[in-house]
């Protein structure tokens, strides 16, 4: 009886609860791995879904970042944007804005201190909707090597909601570009129903 009540409570939506995670297809080897194409495809069943997909597609191809470099990870972020061998222009994200009102992606690159936290939150609130956040580097992800310090925020997700985490200390430009491709995939499938593995196997 208690188990059935618990199952019933789990199915009911809880305010503030996180959504169910999207299933990720794991690659069995490097030949099957494609950056930015890891989740199952979406299912378009109505005209509204097609319009939503078209809107998401346009948004995902022109993500304008707000450069928020705080420490050494910012050097890798700048290299990703300016170095010719990486060339973020291929993904429509080379336009680093200086104003939060012209950006829709905040890249937090580096250690976030206690004093910087309120400023970061203010800039995030000034960004127009829809907006996304990439946490770049271990210091932004979890505090990094300064996790036990009195002045370091232990993860920028305690201040703003984070969409993609890029690990590394500091992460290479390739890792940052892969995080950007993952965010583009997330934007492209936002608000749409993702097909399950059983549905794909039955086709």
């Amino acid at each position: 009886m208690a188990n059935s009540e618990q199952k019933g409570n789990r199915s009911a939506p809880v305010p503030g609860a996180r959504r169910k995670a999207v299933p990720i297809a794991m690659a069995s080897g490097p030949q099957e791995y494609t950056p930015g194409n890891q989740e199952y495809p979406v299912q378009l069943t109505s005209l509204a879904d097609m319009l939503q997909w078209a809107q998401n597609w346009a948004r995902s191809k022109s993500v304008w970042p707000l450069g928020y470099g705080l420490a050494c990870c910012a050097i890798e972020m700048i290299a990703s944007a300016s170095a010719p061998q990486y060339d973020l222009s291929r993904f429509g994200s080379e336009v680093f804005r200086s104003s939060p009102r012209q950006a829709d992606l905040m890249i937090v690159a580096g250690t976030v201190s206690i004093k910087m936290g309120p400023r970061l939150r203010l800039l995030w609130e000034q960004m127009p909707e829809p907006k996304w956040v990439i946490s770049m580097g271990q210091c932004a992800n979890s505090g990094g090597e300064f996790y036990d310090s009195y002045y370091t925020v232990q993860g920028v997700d305690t201040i703003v909601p984070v969409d993609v985490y890029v690990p590394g200390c500091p992460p290479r430009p390739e890792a940052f570009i892969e995080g950007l491709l993952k965010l583009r995939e997330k934007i492209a499938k936002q608000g749409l129903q993702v097909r399950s593995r059983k549905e794909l196997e039955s086709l």
Side-chain angles (χ1 to χ4, degrees):
M1 184 67 182
N3 291 336
S4 62
E5 289 178 358
Q6 288 178 356
K7 289 181 180 178
N9 293 335
R10 285 179 188 171
S11 60
V14 179
R18 300 185 118 188
R19 292 185 302 141
K20 186 178 179 182
V22 175
I24 296 178
M26 299 301 293
S28 61
Q31 71 281 358
E32 295 182 7
Y33 179 72
T34 305
N37 190 19
Q38 300 174 29
E39 298 177 357
Y40 292 124
V42 296
Q43 186 174 8
L44 304 178
T45 57
S46 64
L47 179 61
D49 287 347
M50 293 180 186
L51 293 175
Q52 179 71 41
W53 177 86
Q55 186 181 40
N56 292 349
W57 181 87
R59 284 176 176 167
S60 67
K61 302 300 180 186
S62 60
V63 180
W64 285 11
L66 171 69
Y68 201 76
L70 298 172
C72 45
C73 288
I75 304 300
E76 301 296 326
M77 179 180 68
I78 294 167
S80 305
S82 58
Q85 65 265 35
Y86 303 116
D87 190 20
L88 277 183
S89 301
R90 296 175 293 163
F91 312 113
S93 299
E94 80 282 3
V95 187
F96 275 76
R97 311 309 297 177
S98 299
S99 170
R101 293 176 177 86
Q102 299 174 353
D104 47 16
L105 168 63
M106 175 181 277
I107 303 168
V108 182
T111 312
V112 182
S113 64
I114 298 294
K115 284 189 175 182
M116 186 58 71
R119 279 83 173 173
L120 187 145
R121 178 73 187 191
L122 178 63
L123 288 173
W124 179 81
E125 289 175 350
Q126 290 176 346
M127 292 170 62
E129 292 284 350
K131 53 191 172 186
W132 301 276
V133 178
I134 288 181
S135 176
M136 183 177 178
Q138 289 304 106
C139 289
N141 292 346
S142 61
E145 58 189 64
F146 312 109
Y147 71 95
D148 57 350
S149 175
Y150 69 93
Y151 69 90
T152 303
V153 176
Q154 295 185 0
V156 72
D157 52 3
T158 61
I159 302 173
V160 294
V162 175
D163 296 285
V164 175
Y165 296 87
V166 179
C169 184
R172 288 184 52 82
E174 293 90 346
F176 168 65
I177 290 174
E178 184 174 356
L180 183 63
L181 292 174
K182 184 65 183 173
L183 178 67
R184 288 178 54 174
E185 181 184 13
K186 185 174 183 178
I187 296 170
K189 297 178 179 179
Q190 192 171 11
L192 299 172
Q193 182 180 359
V194 179
R195 290 188 171 186
S196 64
R197 183 188 289 263
K198 292 181 179 179
E199 290 178 341
L200 293 174
E201 289 176 351
S202 63
L203 294 177

